[in-house]
Amino acid sequence: MSKVRTRFAPSPTGYMHIGNLRTALYAYLIAKKDDGDFILRIEDTDQGRLVTGAVDIIYETLKQCGLKHDEGPDVGGDYGSYVQSERMKSGIYSKYAHELVQKGKAHYCFCKQEDVQAITGDTENLGANIYVDPCKNLTKEEIQAKLDQNEPYVIRLTVDPNGTTSFDDEIYGTITVDNSTLDEMVLLKSDGFPTYNFANVIDDHLMNITDVVRGNEYLSSTPKYNLLYDAFGWDKPRYIHCPPVMKDEHQKLSKRNGDASFQDLVAKGYLPAAVLNYIALLGWSPSEDKEIYSLEELAKAFDVKHIGKVGAIFDIEKLKWMNGVYLRNMADEEYAELVKPYIEEVTSLDYKLIAKVIKDRVSILSEIKDMISFLNKVDEYEPSIYENKKAKTNSDVAKESLISAKEALQDLNDWNNDAIFTTLANKATEKGIKNIKLMYPMQVALSGRTVAPGGATAIAEILGKEETINRINNALEKLG
């Protein structure tokens, strides 16, 4: 059995979409499950759609996610060997296109683009209608005459309309189509650039790709790919066509519709590892009852047989939950360093204390700023905020509680959470009331909120004694 070799072959046309990242992940997992090779190839033959900086985004995304490629630009070989626009400078695609012409498997087409587009809706025959190319009926003499006159041309695949073409897919099974439904796609464009479809097949063969992972939108193109493999007499790869990632039951997830890219999610405070874990489960069901996986665990557990045929809906709330699990599972010191920049946007108070208090409450890092903004300034509030059925408090009761809390705390020198709690609890016992009747008003006084991370004593420790007493005094002034 030959060594498994998969590839991720993105076009540098913008941000890394969730569907593209999932394709990269599945290709990586298939390779690593069998100690195979994962190759990165940049497919940039569509020069009109290239976006400056997009290649760097691809590199950075794979790096952030830990999807290290064994071969590709800047790794395991010459840069140009894995970038199609560089590869074409050697004439490799033109060579193979003309070889097919010599074999009678492809032909020159001299038709004007506007004529093709009028029929198909697309100059590369990707529209709704199949273009019946009259040029394949030209004689050798007619073809040579046009070439001698330097008439612009493309090279098209020649398809015998008779019979059928079949292929096997690991997810969708055997698929058979009538050849009469296959268009004679362009292989080499008039500017000398290969089309995506043609360069894709050539490079997959030359790079010994054994398993091709891609979206199921390519199912309709695969018969034409196989005609190319057959024309050259090459072995075909194993196909894994994945269902789409859906926004809802009817729409695919799409950046055009304003849906988040990987970069957007990271910018909002999602961890790359959590995003990767989540998208692995979009369409793939593990054999065990488990949802949290490291990349290494995914490589061991992954099985293409468990990829479904139906598109999976991207649930941002589920991702948010999973991201929270990842954050809570971090070691305290690692977590504190991660959230430090977010905390320091708000306050210069002890970030380690704050990190400890918010750790179990944060699901995405972007929540931190609003969660702790009261540390900088108490939120405005009305006296009615002190009304709490559970604590059995109102503004009058709160005033008494705050006076008692201030009395208890102003002589406390050992200022830490445990000591503050013990002091207040003893005061509550002395007053013959439950702790909450003292703690809730103090929490409101310190934060201006009915709910605040850590509660009254944790907030007091973070603020320090002087600021805690100041805020209690300010609250008492508001209460009159």
Side-chain angles (χ1 to χ4, degrees):
M1 181 178 177
S2 59
K3 187 176 186 179
V4 172
R5 288 173 60 83
T6 64
R7 47 71 169 170
F8 177 49
S11 298
T13 56
Y15 292 103
M16 181 71 76
H17 305 300
I18 293 300
N20 286 348
L21 182 56
R22 189 189 64 171
T23 297
L25 172 61
Y26 284 3
Y28 176 89
L29 296 177
I30 289 169
K32 296 309 166 186
K33 186 177 181 68
D34 292 311
D35 296 320
D37 293 328
F38 174 61
I39 292 97
L40 173 64
R41 186 173 74 225
I42 304 299
E43 300 198 337
D44 60 348
T45 57
D46 191 347
Q47 297 285 292
R49 297 180 61 226
L50 301 187
V51 173
T52 302
V55 172
D56 291 332
I57 289 174
I58 293 168
Y59 294 157
E60 182 60 24
T61 300
L62 295 181
K63 181 180 178 181
Q64 284 181 286
C65 293
L67 302 181
K68 183 179 179 181
H69 50 284
D70 300 289
E71 296 176 22
D74 78 355
V75 174
D78 177 63
Y79 172 86
S81 298
Y82 299 90
V83 179
Q84 286 184 338
S85 61
E86 294 294 319
R87 289 169 65 79
M88 70 163 288
K89 292 177 181 178
S90 67
I92 185 173
Y93 304 116
S94 176
K95 166 183 171 292
Y96 280 107
H98 284 90
E99 180 180 322
L100 288 181
V101 172
Q102 295 301 315
K103 289 183 174 183
K105 303 295 185 179
H107 61 272
Y108 295 105
C109 173
F110 300 92
C111 298
K112 294 181 179 179
Q113 288 190 353
E114 54 267 29
D115 294 334
V116 176
Q117 195 166 13
I119 295 174
T120 68
D122 193 301
T123 56
E124 291 184 18
N125 286 16
L126 301 179
N129 300 311
I130 292 176
Y131 184 66
V132 180
D133 183 17
C135 292
K136 67 180 177 181
N137 298 318
L138 293 173
T139 65
K140 289 183 179 180
E141 291 75 18
E142 289 172 324
I143 293 171
Q144 190 59 53
K146 290 179 178 292
L147 293 175
D148 290 342
Q149 294 171 16
N150 292 320
E151 284 194 29
Y153 65 83
V154 299
I155 293 180
R156 292 182 179 275
L157 176 68
T158 300
V159 177
D160 182 350
N162 299 308
T164 61
T165 297
S166 299
F167 69 96
D168 294 322
D169 181 75
E170 290 296 315
I171 299 172
Y172 294 93
T174 301
I175 295 175
T176 302
V177 299
D178 291 328
N179 287 355
S180 60
T181 65
L182 302 177
D183 63 69
E184 298 185 311
M185 65 178 180
V186 174
L187 307 180
L188 199 69
K189 294 181 280 190
S190 58
D191 60 5
F193 273 81
T195 58
Y196 168 85
N197 292 323
F198 184 57
N200 191 278
V201 169
I202 299 301
D203 287 342
D204 280 348
H205 170 73
L206 295 178
M207 294 180 183
N208 299 311
I209 302 302
T210 61
D211 297 65
V212 169
V213 184
R214 58 189 174 213
N216 68 357
E217 66 269 24
Y218 290 101
L219 281 169
S220 60
S221 299
T222 301
K224 291 178 286 188
Y225 293 168
N226 279 1
L227 289 178
L228 287 171
Y229 280 107
D230 289 339
F232 285 116
W234 295 340
D235 291 335
K236 303 178 185 71
R238 182 173 72 140
Y239 293 114
I240 301 100
H241 287 91
C242 303
V245 178
M246 304 295 289
K247 180 175 185 173
D248 52 41
E249 291 183 0
H250 307 290
Q251 301 180 81
K252 289 183 181 181
L253 204 66
S254 170
K255 183 69 175 176
R256 282 179 214 161
N257 296 331
D259 298 318
S261 66
F262 173 78
Q263 286 73 26
D264 293 330
L265 292 173
V266 172
K268 289 177 181 177
Y270 290 91
L271 303 179
V275 175
L276 205 67
N277 187 160
Y278 177 66
I279 66 173
L281 303 176
L282 287 176
W284 172 71
S285 300
S287 58
E288 56 187 330
D289 185 17
K290 179 178 175 179
E291 290 186 294
I292 306 301
Y293 286 87
S294 67
L295 186 57
E296 293 74 19
E297 290 171 333
L298 281 172
K300 292 178 182 178
F302 194 74
D303 185 345
V304 298
K305 299 297 183 184
H306 292 171
I307 298 176
K309 296 180 181 180
V310 180
I313 295 176
F314 185 88
D315 183 349
I316 193 67
E317 290 303 317
K318 182 63 178 288
L319 173 59
K320 185 176 179 180
W321 166 82
M322 186 171 284
N323 199 68
V325 172
Y326 269 77
L327 290 172
R328 290 189 291 277
N329 286 345
M330 279 186 171
D332 288 345
E333 188 171 332
E334 180 186 6
Y335 180 83
E337 294 307 313
L338 175 68
V339 300
K340 181 180 179 181
Y342 296 87
I343 292 172
E344 290 184 339
E345 281 188 39
V346 177
T347 178
S348 59
L349 294 170
D350 190 332
Y351 75 92
K352 289 185 178 180
L353 277 179
I354 298 170
K356 184 178 179 181
V357 168
I358 66 175
K359 185 177 180 183
D360 290 339
R361 294 165 174 81
V362 175
S363 294
I364 52 176
L365 298 176
S366 57
E367 295 173 335
I368 293 174
K369 186 174 182 179
D370 287 339
M371 187 177 289
I372 66 170
S373 63
F374 68 86
L375 293 174
N376 183 43
K377 182 181 179 182
V378 176
D379 298 337
E380 291 296 326
Y381 62 86
E382 296 295 327
S384 59
I385 195 175
Y386 287 104
E387 294 179 8
N388 185 299
K389 290 182 180 180
K390 185 177 180 181
K392 296 182 180 180
T393 58
N394 55 35
S395 58
D396 291 332
V397 173
K399 185 175 181 179
E400 294 178 14
S401 294
L402 289 175
I403 291 172
S404 296
K406 179 182 174 182
E407 289 175 353
L409 295 175
Q410 59 189 1
D411 294 327
L412 179 64
N413 294 318
D414 189 12
W415 196 263
N416 60 69
N417 195 348
D418 290 340
I420 295 168
F421 180 87
T422 299
T423 300
L424 292 176
N426 290 339
K427 191 67 173 180
T429 300
E430 177 189 319
K431 301 287 289 186
I433 61 176
K434 291 183 177 180
N435 288 349
I436 192 173
K437 205 165 189 175
L438 205 62
M439 302 288 189
Y440 177 72
M442 183 171 158
Q443 175 191 290
V444 173
L446 299 184
S447 68
R449 300 182 182 184
T450 58
V451 178
T457 59
I459 295 170
E461 180 183 23
I462 293 167
L463 291 174
K465 182 176 179 179
E466 182 178 353
E467 180 63 14
T468 295
I469 299 299
N470 284 341
R471 291 192 180 194
I472 291 175
N473 285 334
N474 290 336
L476 287 170
E477 285 183 21
K478 289 183 180 181
L479 289 170

